């Protein structure tokens, strides 16, 4: 059967097969990027569903505006305003999760062959969303301060012209690193000078458990060059599928047309209930609790890894989010080790890092999530893995 | 700002502006395709939300499989099996409304310039979903038995080659007509002979209030050429945003990859609650009630129109669904009449028919929905409109 040319970039992902291992109860999986379900506000949500269905059920079950429920747009705008970028309800498009924003931005901007620049490595889900639009990619290396904007500038000066640069500035997936303020400012200056847009994806931004917030790219942008994506998945629950885009009107209006084309609107009931919840429930206190929990989990995982793993293995210590990024010595293949040793002998899964690189895949990394495994099980699994790594690598 | 080439086909629709008139309480709008909110099973849904959140809230709020919740896939498959096409859970992809299936099928199959054949006129939302993939269109006229497959065959024999033919075989939007069994069989024979796929969209299929069901294209298809879309929007509630695709594995698998790329998955909670509801609730009895209600509404609207409108105006009498299609004499412009007369003088809105034609727009039609306006208000508004039409057209 002949498919459209774009489908050549839409292939089953090895990582998805791997993540199915998370369903095997004998495997301890650090692979999923799932938030800890113990953090979901189940009882307040149940009360909100009851209240909304009792008082305005018929409206909440009917079609509504494609751009989203006005009250929820206002509430999201208020949160962005409180986070440093004055935003009105009209600047917000409610999405079926931030993932949908990744799809729409590429659909809006990318003709086949157009260039997207990302951090190297970057969020796999973004590459999956962008691929059907047949972009070319360039990955820019980073360090503990995020994407190296000097390296980006050098590339731009060489004549490379991206349609947009995609970044997860806060506690990036997969590396856990946060872009520094000077780099954010530099990125925006480059966007203006070299005429490209910046796609800022912030699913983990509220989950800082250490250090101080760095201003969002959106809050630093004076030229309307930032499309900002956010999500309720990690601060309420992913099963609601609620996210948003914030952008200038000339970008938001065509994104809204793509929303109409793609799925008419996000579920009215999910939006109504979330709007009700945000009014009745102390979301900031809830986020504070989540942060403390993940901070404790990160401490435990990083400490256990540093004790158990050989000294040749580097473990990142993110200030927020869900992930630590582990770098093995050059020549080590994390995927091969997992299939050959970690899974069969330690019953431990993680995500081999190669999959997160848009162009040249580096085999000697792995992403571990500390959000989803109970403390004792985490310590045991990391310790077992450490023994096998010492046997493999020495040290 | 430069957008991708595909955005030239993504434009604000005049009809959307028009439908906003539905929010003006002084206007009686027959424009929306909204189901009657009085039919929504609010109380059973509230009980299902309460039960699911109380017993499995954390699971129901977590991420789940991209293709959809296994139990809901089974239930949808069982309904399709009961409707004449033996279907397994693995043949089902759960979607964010059937609209999302229209997006994905075009994304899967259409390279710029590829041909889509539709009925003439056809569902505007389908054209909106297809447009970003830059198809060309051919509309095939129909009659009271649906798309004229003899005319289609003539076009195919002339060398025209569509990637797929899109049809709403039951109570089509906007015409309300149903494809006869011989035409369905002919369409599938042509699909096999001329090597194209058939996209069968069935949002209104369960809403038959007169006559006998005609087998679905999927149930008649022996060659795996039908992609079947369905929706809970008109039999439960649109605010849940739940639909499905059923197709052969070689089509369903890449559609699932597009689902992953576009929005990861449909909302776990919506799927869990709907699965629970389908187990606890007599959906077929519920649909029977909805059918009777819409049948009564159709009778009232068609009778009132035939009494009030000039004899030169034809009013279709659909056997199901939400719409009647009104055809005015040649030379009459339904959009102009609405703006100039119907809205200011009668405070009545409908959808001018031109917007539903993929290529050559015919101005002398209008779509009226009988689902959303209370009886007395409907009769008054249609009667007022009839007086103005008689003044305009005579008779």
């Amino acid at each position: 059967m002949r498919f459209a040319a774009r489908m050549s970039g839409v292939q089953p992902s090895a990582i998805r097969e791997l993540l199915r291992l998370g369903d095997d109860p004998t495997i301890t999986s650090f692979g999923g990027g799932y938030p800890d379900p113990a953090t979901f506000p189940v009882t307040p949500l149940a009360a909100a569903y009851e209240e909304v269905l009792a008082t305005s059920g018929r409206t909440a079950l009917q079609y509504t505006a494609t751009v989203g429920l006005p009250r929820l747009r206002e509430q999201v705008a208020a949160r962005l305003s409180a986070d440093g970028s004055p935003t009105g309800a009209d600047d917000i498009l409610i999405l079926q999760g931030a993932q949908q924003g990744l799809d729409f931005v590429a659909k809006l901007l990318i003709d086949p062959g157009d260039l997207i620049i990302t951090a190297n490595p970057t969020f796999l889900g973004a590459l999956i969303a962008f691929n059907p639009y047949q972009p070319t990619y360039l990955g820019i290396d980073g360090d503990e301060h995020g994407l190296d904007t000097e390296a980006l500038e050098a590339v731009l000066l060489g004549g490379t012209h991206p349609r947009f640069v995609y970044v997860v500035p806060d506690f990036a997936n997969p590396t856990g690193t946060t872009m520094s303020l000077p780099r954010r400012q530099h990125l925006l200056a480059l966007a203006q000078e070299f005429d490209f847009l910046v796609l800022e994806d912030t699913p983990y931004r509220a989950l800082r458990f250490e250090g101080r917030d760095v201003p969002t790219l959106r809050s630093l942008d004076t030229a309307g060059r930032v499309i900002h994506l956010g999500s309720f998945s990690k601060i309420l629950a992913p099963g609601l599928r609620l996210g948003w885009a914030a952008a200038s009107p000339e970008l938001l209006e065509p994104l809204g047309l793509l929303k109409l084309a793609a799925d008419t609107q996000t579920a009215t009931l999910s939006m109504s209930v979330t709007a009700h919840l945000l009014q009745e429930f102390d979301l900031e206190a809830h986020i504070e609790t989540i942060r403390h929990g993940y901070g404790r989990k990160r401490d435990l995982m990083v400490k256990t890894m540093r004790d158990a793993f050989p000294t040749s293995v580097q473990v990142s210590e993110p200030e927020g989010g869900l992930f630590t990024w582990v770098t093995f010595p050059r020549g080590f293949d994390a995927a091969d080790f997992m299939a050959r040793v970690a899974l069969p002998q330690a019953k431990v899964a993680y995500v081999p890092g190669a999959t997160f690189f848009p162009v040249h895949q580096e085999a000697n990394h792995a992403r571990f999530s500390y959000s989803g495994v109970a403390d004792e099980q985490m310590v045991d699994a990391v310790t077992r893995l450490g023994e096998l790594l010492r046997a493999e690598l020495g040290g």
Side-chain angles (χ1 to χ4, degrees), chain A residues 21 25 101 113 305 327 338 348 361:
Chain A
L21 295 169
M305 284 180 165
T327 299
M338 184 164 125
V348 171
Q361 305 207 320

Side-chain angles (χ1 to χ4, degrees), chain A residues 35-235:
Chain A
D36 180 356
T39 66
F40 301 160
V42 177
T43 305
L45 269 169
Y49 272 99
E50 186 181 349
E51 178 70 13
V52 166
L53 285 168
T55 59
S56 55
R58 289 179 181 176
T59 310
L61 289 165
Q62 187 56 283
Y63 289 109
T64 189
T66 292
V67 290
L69 215 60
R71 194 159 135 227
L72 186 60
R73 296 172 80 200
E74 277 168 30
Q75 291 163 320
V76 169
R79 293 197 83 241
L80 292 188
S81 297
D83 194 18
S85 47
T87 303
D90 288 348
D91 304 323
I92 300 296
L93 174 66
I94 302 293
L95 298 170
Q96 168 80 351
Q99 179 75 21
Q100 190 172 50
L102 301 172
D103 175 32
F104 290 170
V105 170
K107 197 171 182 179
L108 176 66
L109 297 174
I110 298 298
D111 285 313
D114 281 348
L115 179 67
I116 300 173
I117 291 183
T118 75
N120 196 43
T122 192
F123 172 46
L124 175 63
L127 302 176
I128 288 174
F130 301 154
N131 283 342
Y133 304 102
Q134 301 169 273
T136 53
Y137 290 108
L138 181 66
I140 301 284
D141 286 341
D143 56 25
E144 68 273 27
H145 304 298
L147 184 145
D148 179 353
T149 51
E150 298 292 336
L152 173 63
E153 184 168 14
V155 160
L156 295 167
L157 286 168
T160 295
H161 187 235
R163 292 293 291 129
F164 64 87
V165 172
Y166 169 73
V167 280
V168 183
D170 304 292
F171 328 122
N173 183 350
T175 58
T177 53
T178 294
M179 265 186 107
S180 67
L181 178 59
R183 290 213 177 148
R184 292 181 194 220
Q185 291 165 326
H186 191 199
L187 174 60
L188 291 172
L190 294 173
Q192 186 65 7
E193 184 178 351
F194 293 95
D195 190 21
F196 58 83
L197 297 175
V198 176
L199 178 54
E200 174 179 46
D201 191 9
T202 66
Y204 317 109
R205 177 166 173 82
L207 304 182
R208 174 179 286 280
F209 34 74
E210 188 175 299
R212 296 182 59 180
D213 281 347
V214 185
T216 61
L217 288 160
R218 174 169 165 80
S219 73
L220 300 168
D221 173 32
T222 55
R225 292 194 170 273
V226 172
I227 303 174
H228 176 101
L229 302 178
S231 172
F232 287 112
S233 290
K234 276 75 185 184
I235 56 177

Side-chain angles (χ1 to χ4, degrees), chain A residues 268-343:
Chain A
T268 317
L269 185 58
S270 300
M271 293 194 285
S272 302
V273 164
T274 302
H276 184 79
L277 186 76
L278 292 179
Q279 186 181 292
E280 300 293 317
F281 176 69
D282 188 345
L283 179 61
E284 301 314 319
H286 177 68
I287 291 172
E288 196 57 34
T289 308
I290 299 176
R291 279 179 184 147
H292 280 290
Y294 288 145
R296 209 183 50 71
K297 292 290 242 189
R298 179 215 56 179
D299 289 345
L300 186 64
M301 179 175 267
V302 170
K303 179 182 182 307
T304 309
M305 284 180 165
R306 287 182 175 163
D307 288 348
F309 287 6
T311 52
S312 60
V313 178
Q314 292 168 14
V315 176
S316 80
E317 192 165 358
E319 296 187 331
L322 305 182
F323 306 113
T324 186
W325 181 245
V326 174
T327 299
F328 303 95
R330 276 180 195 280
F332 181 93
D333 185 328
D336 169 74
F337 182 76
M338 184 164 125
R340 185 169 48 79
V341 181
L343 272 174

